[in-house]
Amino acid sequence: MILQIPFTACPGLFYNTAAQDGLLYRLRIPGGIINYNQFQAIADIADHYGNGYIDITNRANIQIRELKDSINVEVLKKLQALGLASTNAKIDHVRNIMTNPTAGIDTEELLDTRSLVKAWEEYITAHSQLSELSAKFSICFDSGGKVAVKYQPNDIILAAELNNSNVYLRLYLSYGEKGEPAKDTGILFKPEETIQVLGALAETYRKHIDTKNRPKPRLREIINNITIKEYLHQFQQNLNPHILNLTKTPLCASAPLREKTHIGTYSQRQTGLYYIGIVLPLGRLEAWQMRSLADIARRYGDDNIRLTPWQNLLLTDIPQNQISKVEQEITHLGLNSSPTDIKSFLVACSGKRGCAAAVTETKEDAINLAKYLENLMILDSSVNIHFSGCSKSCAQHTQADITLLGITIETPGYQVYVLGHLLYEHVTIAKIPILIQQMLAVYQKQRLSLQETFGQFIERHSQQLNQLFSQTTPNLTFTTCKYYV
């Protein structure tokens, strides 16, 4: 049954948001795992209601854009029957639950987090009062595997780690300045105590919410207002003392590590099986590609598609002797699984076409950059390039290697940042491909080795970025006076 819908500006499945290019729906996919029948049903909606495509978001959600009419209630009920839509519309606006896209198959993971995702989804479904929290309230489970998500922006992060040969979850909370990573609280607890801990954390947050006010404050704002010490004190008072005893440990240094690549073919922890990470150009899939991928997953794998926070997807449980066939079929779809494909770490928001706040057509500009680079160079090391149409940075909240921020000074163009350092105040759209190609060429020519990442290269030259790129595109003004996250 579809329940009463709360007021919220965030799109969901039971209610839509008007965008520049039509109505926008967002489907929460807890943990990012979706099966054959669900994928097929979404493809049908994209074809019949939208413009025949979907976008994967940076929380492994699915967005359907350019709808001219609202989705029929009977269609929503069908999705509920498929297990795709929540049975409680009141919590449908709460942010998607994030976990490692390789949960349960990662060769290095300490804990299979899929059961925790399922348990927390069931908890919030059963507790409608959580709809009173900010729609941006976000939870992340990190398995301790090689494809990490604990460095992604979230209000609460529970990260698996070994302590005295036992697996615990370490609690990180978001507070401090906007954009800062979640901070270690020093608290460890057993995986079986997860739901009680999260329930107490959410209830502590809810007690500081005035339901009459909009927008609702973020958890970070609540903690900043009452201090982290007081928030943790109130949180522990909300815990059932018979359930757990929290373990305090020394705080972990918050070193901003990058996730290992998930694009390509990798062995699973299950003997003889492999997963294939597929590049989705700017997170977009046509409906016909969706149907074909679902069919490949059913014929060769485990019937599931795994969406990632990096706007790509995985096919899993592929037998070794079927890998070449699967790769051929992926190629026939106009897709690939190359970890050095420029599009594998190219990110863009919806741009002017889909958002009134954007000043540039980011997706079009990003695709033009990819085409230009593909014709001129081989990118033998992944470089994360982020096109943002405005300062809200909706498509990627983490810092990119290269950020292009839409700006209008007489004509539309971009500010260019490297690891947050502003390098150019304004570059016209036409000059962006030339500039980025020359910047990447400087990196490839002057790096210490093939193993030195673009980020490491920039950090090594952080005091002389002007000199480093002084030979790139002429007639541009350098500056390093600003910083962008």
Side-chain angles (χ1 to χ4, degrees):
M1 180 176 67
I2 298 177
L3 303 178
Q4 184 180 2
I5 296 164
F7 174 86
T8 175
C10 293
L13 178 60
F14 299 100
Y15 40 90
N16 56 65
T17 295
Q20 290 288 99
D21 52 0
L23 301 179
L24 165 64
Y25 281 83
R26 183 184 66 194
L27 289 79
R28 297 172 67 252
I29 313 293
I33 300 178
I34 188 167
N35 65 35
Y36 172 91
N37 290 326
Q38 293 169 337
F39 219 43
Q40 293 281 15
I42 295 171
D44 289 342
I45 293 175
D47 266 342
H48 293 124
Y49 288 90
N51 206 16
Y53 70 88
I54 65 165
D55 286 335
I56 310 300
T57 76
N58 57 12
R59 293 200 66 81
N61 290 307
I62 288 177
Q63 286 186 352
I64 308 176
R65 306 188 67 96
E66 298 190 55
L67 281 78
K68 302 301 183 288
D69 298 301
S70 299
I71 297 175
N72 186 283
V73 171
E74 294 304 315
V75 175
L76 298 181
K77 289 181 178 179
K78 177 183 176 182
L79 294 181
Q80 286 180 318
L82 287 172
L84 184 60
S86 174
T87 56
N88 184 352
K90 286 188 176 181
I91 56 89
D92 192 54
H93 66 296
V94 176
R95 280 193 167 176
N96 197 29
I97 305 168
M98 185 181 291
T99 195
N100 315 70
T102 51
I105 61 174
D106 196 310
T107 56
E108 297 179 16
E109 75 177 7
L110 301 173
L111 177 70
D112 183 351
T113 54
R114 290 176 295 178
S115 62
L116 300 182
V117 170
K118 183 175 184 293
W120 181 241
E121 176 68 12
E122 291 173 349
Y123 183 92
I124 63 175
T125 299
H127 293 76
S128 295
Q129 66 269 28
L130 296 187
S131 66
E132 298 172 2
L133 303 177
S134 167
K136 297 180 179 180
F137 181 53
S138 55
I139 306 292
C140 175
F141 299 96
D142 186 277
S143 69
K146 62 183 180 181
V147 183
V149 290
K150 66 181 180 180
Y151 306 107
Q152 297 294 307
N154 282 280
D155 289 335
I156 299 174
I157 298 173
L158 306 182
E161 66 174 60
L162 280 177
N163 189 282
N164 294 326
S165 300
N166 294 313
V167 176
Y168 288 84
L169 289 168
R170 182 177 289 271
L171 173 63
Y172 295 81
L173 293 175
S174 176
Y175 61 96
E177 293 298 320
K178 184 178 180 180
E180 288 185 346
K183 298 177 177 63
D184 180 21
T185 63
I187 293 174
L188 299 181
F189 54 90
K190 297 176 182 178
E192 57 267 27
E193 298 161 340
T194 296
I195 302 306
Q196 291 89 342
V197 169
L198 284 177
L201 287 166
E203 183 60 22
T204 305
Y205 176 17
R206 194 177 71 86
K207 286 182 177 179
H208 291 274
I209 295 286
D210 184 344
T211 58
K212 298 178 182 178
N213 290 338
R214 297 190 180 94
K216 305 294 176 58
R218 297 291 305 272
L219 177 62
R220 171 179 54 82
E221 296 168 325
I222 297 296
I223 296 177
N224 286 348
N225 186 48
I226 67 173
T227 75
I228 183 62
K229 181 178 180 180
E230 178 59 24
Y231 182 82
L232 290 176
H233 173 70
Q234 293 181 23
F235 149 65
Q236 292 185 60
Q237 287 184 322
N238 284 326
L239 285 171
N240 184 335
H242 302 294
I243 290 176
L244 89 142
N245 293 311
L246 297 176
T247 301
K248 291 287 288 184
T249 66
L251 301 184
C252 291
S254 56
L257 302 178
R258 293 187 179 278
E259 71 282 348
K260 294 185 180 179
T261 183
H262 58 285
I263 300 298
T265 302
Y266 301 90
S267 59
Q268 297 181 189
R269 64 187 309 167
Q270 294 81 9
T271 303
L273 296 179
Y274 293 75
Y275 69 87
I276 301 177
I278 301 173
V279 178
L280 305 184
L282 303 178
R284 180 157 292 183
L285 266 180
E286 303 291 333
W288 67 271
Q289 293 173 314
M290 294 173 64
R291 294 189 179 92
S292 296
L293 285 168
D295 185 59
I296 293 171
R298 169 164 282 190
R299 286 188 288 119
Y300 297 103
D302 64 348
D303 195 49
N304 288 323
I305 295 97
R306 298 189 182 212
L307 312 179
T308 83
W310 305 285
Q311 299 175 275
N312 295 306
L313 62 80
L314 312 182
L315 297 178
T316 56
D317 284 13
I318 308 296
Q320 186 173 16
N321 62 358
Q322 302 291 343
I323 290 174
S324 61
K325 291 182 181 178
V326 173
E327 290 176 339
Q328 289 174 10
E329 295 201 26
I330 291 170
T331 300
H332 290 155
L333 298 179
L335 303 172
N336 72 75
S337 57
S338 170
T340 57
D341 186 327
I342 179 63
K343 294 186 291 293
S344 65
F345 286 90
L346 188 62
V347 178
C349 64
S350 61
K352 282 181 66 176
R353 179 178 176 181
C355 178
V359 298
T360 52
E361 291 290 3
T362 52
K363 287 191 180 293
E364 179 181 322
D365 296 341
I367 288 296
N368 288 338
L369 171 64
K371 291 177 179 177
Y372 182 86
L373 293 178
E374 287 168 346
N375 291 328
L376 289 177
M377 66 191 307
I378 296 174
L379 195 62
D380 53 9
S381 178
S382 61
V383 179
N384 177 206
I385 303 175
H386 173 207
F387 282 78
S388 185
C390 75
S391 60
K392 290 189 286 187
S393 192
C394 295
Q396 178 174 319
H397 300 299
T398 53
Q399 187 182 91
D401 292 322
I402 300 174
T403 299
L404 304 169
L405 177 62
I407 186 174
T408 298
I409 301 179
E410 295 184 356
T411 59
Y414 289 94
Q415 289 182 334
V416 180
Y417 297 79
V418 287
L419 289 194
H421 298 278
L422 179 59
L423 200 62
Y424 297 103
E425 281 281 7
H426 183 264
V427 182
T428 62
I429 293 170
K431 287 184 178 180
I432 283 292
I434 302 168
L435 172 64
I436 299 302
Q437 185 270 326
Q438 292 179 349
M439 290 173 63
L440 294 175
V442 169
Y443 158 58
Q444 290 187 334
K445 183 178 180 179
Q446 298 187 29
R447 60 188 169 182
L448 295 177
S449 69
L450 289 174
Q451 285 69 47
E452 184 174 39
T453 67
F454 184 84
Q456 292 168 339
F457 175 74
I458 293 300
E459 289 288 0
R460 186 162 58 85
H461 293 89
S462 61
Q463 301 304 312
Q464 62 265 6
L465 289 178
N466 287 12
Q467 298 91 319
L468 181 65
F469 294 112
S470 61
Q471 300 304 310
T472 54
T473 306
N475 303 321
L476 297 176
T477 302
F478 278 99
T479 178
T480 53
C481 63
K482 296 182 181 179
Y483 194 78
Y484 181 80
V485 175

